[in-house]
Amino acid sequence: MEKLKIGITGGIGCGQSSVVKLLQDNHGAPVVSMDQAGRDAVEEHLEVRRQLRRAFGDSFFDADGNLHRARLAQLIFSDPAQRQKLNDIVHPVMLQIVWEELAAAM
């Protein structure tokens, strides 16, 4: 029998994390997080960071090659075209990570 998959969505501060914690703590549910997949895509995939540097410039990275997330957030939340550029780079890798984690959890 296939395991039930539940998606938790909502706006910032509406309680998704509380629901996820309840499912984990009370029912042992495995969790696949899009937020974590996004962080992993940027932090663990060199090609994603290379594309981000090419798209947004060196000023969005520190001396160690880490993304200045807050600086990039300011840009992408004020400019839809820049947000789309970011999404086009990061989302394919995020989805790959999520599908792999879902397959492992099932």
Side-chain angles (χ1 to χ4, degrees):
M1 179 188 326
E2 187 173 339
K3 293 182 181 179
L4 179 66
K5 297 174 200 79
I6 300 171
I8 309 297
T9 67
I12 295 172
C14 74
Q16 310 96 302
S17 296
S18 297
V19 172
V20 167
K21 183 165 177 34
L22 181 125
L23 290 170
Q24 284 179 307
D25 294 350
N26 295 345
H27 302 284
V31 173
V32 176
S33 167
M34 287 296 284
D35 289 340
Q36 186 61 51
R39 284 188 289 278
D40 292 348
V42 170
E43 294 170 6
E44 297 179 12
H45 291 262
L46 295 176
E47 178 60 19
V48 170
R49 277 204 309 276
R50 187 183 67 73
Q51 289 181 38
L52 291 173
R53 187 181 295 269
R54 188 173 57 224
F56 297 104
D58 291 335
S59 67
F60 287 90
F61 291 84
D62 67 18
D64 295 324
N66 299 308
L67 182 65
H68 287 295
R69 297 174 65 86
R71 187 175 296 162
L72 185 58
Q74 284 181 323
L75 174 67
I76 63 140
F77 289 122
S78 66
D79 186 335
Q82 296 297 323
R83 183 169 47 253
Q84 187 60 52
K85 189 186 307 185
L86 173 70
N87 291 344
D88 289 345
I89 294 168
V90 177
H91 281 183
V93 176
M94 284 175 66
L95 290 173
Q96 176 186 351
I97 291 167
V98 166
W99 284 118
E100 289 170 1
E101 289 181 8
L102 279 171
M106 297 292 135

